[in-house]
């Protein structure tokens, strides 16, 4: 999240008004029963640099309103050794996975449901349409598996994820300037944070499309794989990563993500204060006690997310 700081009277007041919203939003991500202590909330509130834009302040990006009867979003809760992993599969073959009003509504509904599900440990976002990828503000780790095209809004969805993996044959870029518009789904804010301001400007100004290897070289993705015959190399890698996350303490994972995300938006001193406040929330949890006992008894921990 970033602030557009205008050089006009009242801008400072608008930023100050947004401080409490920033802290409240951050606390909400911790989940039920987890809140930053009041003293820390007051301290952290002084460093907020974000406030939501007022309604009607600027036009929003338009979405394709075409609706089909087929499932545009498929939610799969994996089982057995992958229990705790949820796969959000985008399935709009006829629209090349372009964002429709129906798909946005379904994504929002799925995210709201997953936020409150303590059994969910990691979410993978992938395309179920071969050759096309087309994130959410979830408290658990999210992985974008890019096995095909991720252009414009598709890449913006991927940028909203914590981790991105792609096949070498994948194509990705923010190409909106070719259409005389700009990325309007977070691309102008998340791409610079991912790869740096100068290179992000270059890619957006040129509307350049990168393949998987090029994306890895600039730091846009974490892993690049040779595509397999099934066309799901990135998804398989995402699944491997998600399984690697499964044994860790679920509360710790959520709070670590919160600390990282909010800490990156402020200076180091404030970021360390955020970390300390988040760390304090872990101390009284049952999972922490279980982790210590499991280590002492040399056995795998049995975390319950409590």
């Amino acid at each position: 999240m970033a602030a557009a700081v205008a050089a006009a009277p009242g801008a400072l007041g608008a930023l100050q008004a947004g401080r409490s919203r920033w802290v409240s939003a951050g606390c909400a991500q911790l989940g039920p029963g987890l809140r930053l202590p009041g003293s820390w909330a007051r301290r952290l509130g002084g460093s907020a640099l974000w406030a939501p834009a007022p309604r009607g302040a600027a036009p929003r990006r338009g979405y394709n309103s075409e609706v089909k009867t087929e499932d545009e979003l498929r939610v799969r809760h994996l089982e057995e050794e992958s229990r705790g992993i949820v796969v959000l599969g985008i399935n709009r073959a006829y629209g090349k996975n372009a964002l429709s009003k129906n798909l946005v509504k379904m994504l929002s509904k799925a995210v709201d449901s997953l936020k409150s599900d303590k059994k969910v440990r990691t979410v993978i976002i992938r395309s179920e349409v071969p050759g096309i990828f087309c994130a959410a503000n979830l408290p658990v780790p999210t992985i974008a598996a890019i096995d095909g095209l991720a252009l414009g809004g598709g890449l913006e969805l991927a940028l909203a994820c914590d981790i991105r993996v792609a096949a070498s044959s994948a194509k990705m870029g923010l190409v909106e300037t070719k259409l005389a518009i700009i990325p309007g789904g977070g691309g102008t804010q998340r791409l610079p944070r991912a790869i740096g301001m100068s290179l992000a400007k270059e890619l957006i100004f040129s509307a350049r499309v990168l393949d998987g290897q090029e994306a890895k070289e600039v730091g846009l993705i974490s892993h690049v794989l040779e595509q397999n015959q099934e066309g799901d190399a990135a998804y398989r890698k995402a699944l491997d990563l998600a399984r690697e996350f499964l044994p860790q303490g679920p509360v710790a994972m959520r709070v670590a993500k919160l600390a990282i995300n909010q800490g990156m938006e402020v200076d180091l001193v404030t970021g360390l204060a955020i970390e300390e406040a988040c760390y304090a929330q872990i101390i009284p949890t049952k999972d922490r006690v279980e982790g210590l006992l499991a280590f002492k008894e040399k056995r795998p921990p049995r975390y319950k997310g409590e």
Side-chain angles (χ1 to χ4, degrees):
M1 298 182 292
V5 183
L12 180 59
L15 291 180
Q16 292 173 337
R19 291 172 180 168
S20 60
R21 298 189 186 99
W22 180 83
V23 175
S24 297
C27 292
Q29 291 183 55
L30 283 168
L34 291 174
R35 294 290 186 272
L36 297 181
S39 59
W40 283 112
R42 289 191 294 272
R43 177 175 175 181
L44 300 181
S47 298
L49 290 178
W50 173 81
R55 292 182 180 178
R60 299 292 303 222
R61 166 184 289 192
Y63 294 104
N64 185 336
S65 60
E66 181 184 13
V67 176
K68 297 287 185 179
T69 56
E70 67 176 292
D71 292 334
E72 294 188 341
L73 181 69
R74 295 174 179 172
V75 181
R76 291 191 296 132
H77 292 253
L78 305 188
E79 298 294 336
E80 298 178 355
E81 74 275 8
S82 298
R83 186 182 299 274
I85 300 173
V86 176
V87 179
L88 299 183
I90 300 175
N91 183 48
R92 293 193 75 237
Y94 53 87
K96 296 186 178 180
N97 280 356
L99 297 179
S100 66
K101 288 183 178 179
N102 186 50
L103 177 55
V104 171
K105 182 178 179 180
M106 294 178 73
L107 275 168
S108 179
K109 184 177 179 180
V111 167
D112 287 341
S113 176
L114 295 174
K115 278 182 179 179
S116 58
D117 190 342
K118 291 185 177 181
K119 295 180 181 179
V120 176
R121 304 294 180 86
T122 299
V123 175
I124 297 174
I125 301 178
R126 67 174 302 208
S127 170
E128 296 198 358
V129 180
I132 301 174
F133 174 87
C134 205
N137 186 23
L138 283 163
V140 297
T142 55
I143 307 172
I146 307 172
D147 275 306
L149 297 176
L151 304 176
L155 180 55
E156 287 177 309
L157 274 175
L159 284 167
C161 294
D162 300 312
I163 300 167
R164 290 167 293 282
V165 299
S168 57
S169 58
K171 302 293 182 182
M172 60 203 84
L174 297 180
V175 298
E176 285 86 347
T177 53
K178 282 188 175 181
L179 303 176
I181 58 175
I182 70 169
T188 63
Q189 303 306 305
R190 292 192 175 100
L191 186 61
R193 285 165 168 76
I195 65 174
M197 183 184 297
S198 180
L199 187 52
K201 285 179 178 178
E202 180 181 329
L203 294 182
I204 291 174
F205 295 166
S206 65
R208 188 180 305 156
V209 175
L210 306 178
D211 61 27
Q213 188 58 50
E214 292 169 328
K216 176 67 168 62
E217 290 172 358
V218 301
L220 180 55
I221 62 175
S222 301
H223 302 274
V224 59
L225 303 308
E226 288 297 324
Q227 188 58 281
N228 56 30
Q229 291 185 348
E230 292 77 15
D232 64 354
Y235 170 66
R236 290 175 183 269
K237 178 61 178 179
L239 195 56
D240 287 341
L241 288 172
R243 287 172 178 154
E244 191 175 347
F245 300 162
L246 283 179
Q248 321 313 328
V251 177
M253 295 286 281
R254 289 170 177 250
V255 177
K257 175 172 175 174
L258 175 65
I260 294 169
N261 285 354
Q262 295 199 350
M264 287 299 293
E265 303 301 323
V266 297
D267 61 89
L268 178 59
V269 172
T270 306
L272 292 172
I274 291 173
E275 179 185 80
E276 184 176 348
C278 288
Y279 187 86
Q281 304 306 302
I282 298 297
I283 299 302
T285 64
K286 295 179 180 179
D287 278 358
R288 185 186 73 89
V289 176
E290 168 61 16
L292 292 174
L293 286 175
F295 179 78
K296 181 180 179 180
E297 298 171 3
K298 298 181 180 180
R299 61 171 173 80
R302 296 183 289 270
Y303 296 126
K304 298 181 179 180
E306 300 175 350

